[in-house]
Amino acid sequence: MRSFITFEGIEGSGKTTQIQLLSVRLDRGGIEHILTREPGGTEVGNQIRRLLLDPANRDLSPLAELLLYQAARAQHLARIILPALAEEKLVLCDRYKDATRAYQGRGRYLPEDLVEQLNRFDLLALEPDLTLLFDLEPAAALARAQRRERTSSRDQNRFEQETLEFHGRVREAYLDLAKSYPRRIRVVDAAGSVDEVHQRTLALIGGAFPSLGLK
Ligand code: TMP
């Protein structure tokens, strides 16, 4: 099934856990798909990801940051996403262009028309068929992200070190995007247990794509 589905949300919203659970569920149902993420998804993209998330790079300028995310995306689209869709595959992607709108646009105060000019540029123009926005109050989400770091001995990345106010702005930007694109973006209440959120996810994806047989 040729479709492009993205998962979005602030740090600690649970979207990565949820996209992985969906992928396992699709595997169980024998539904062919690829699971990928941004920034990343390619060797070059992963190198750019390390650079972008490394807390040592705290003086990265907002414009340099925007262009690096778009560079990683250009490579990802050219090498992974567009070829997979051309082969009629289902593509699940953990973050995509809405993250740039929310983090670089609203979070870093870059002009919206600059972000959108790049988003609309020919080879970057693809928009998802469906986006699930995992919405959670920033204080609860960051507490989740911190628990994850403690249990995985993973270090805080450059964005997790940002203030609660920054994450609040990013969350508001995501909710505004959901209002601007009501047909494409569906908001999922990300509070509750992993399984409760998984059931909400299955209901939404199953409703949007009945042929997946998820309900
Ligand atoms: P992740 O932790 O969900 O893998 O995402 C890595 C970080 O990159 C996360 O803090 C959000 C940020 N990000 C942006 O700022 N802009 C983007 O376009 C993307 C894809 C991610």
Side-chain angles (χ1 to χ4, degrees), residues 11 15 38-39 49 53 69 73 95 99-100 103-104 159:
E11 340 285 326
K15 66 181 169 46
E38 291 208 347
R49 179 185 177 89
L53 299 189
Y69 276 109
R73 180 162 307 133
R95 292 196 189 279
T100 315
Y103 283 82
Q104 280 65 56
F159 288 88

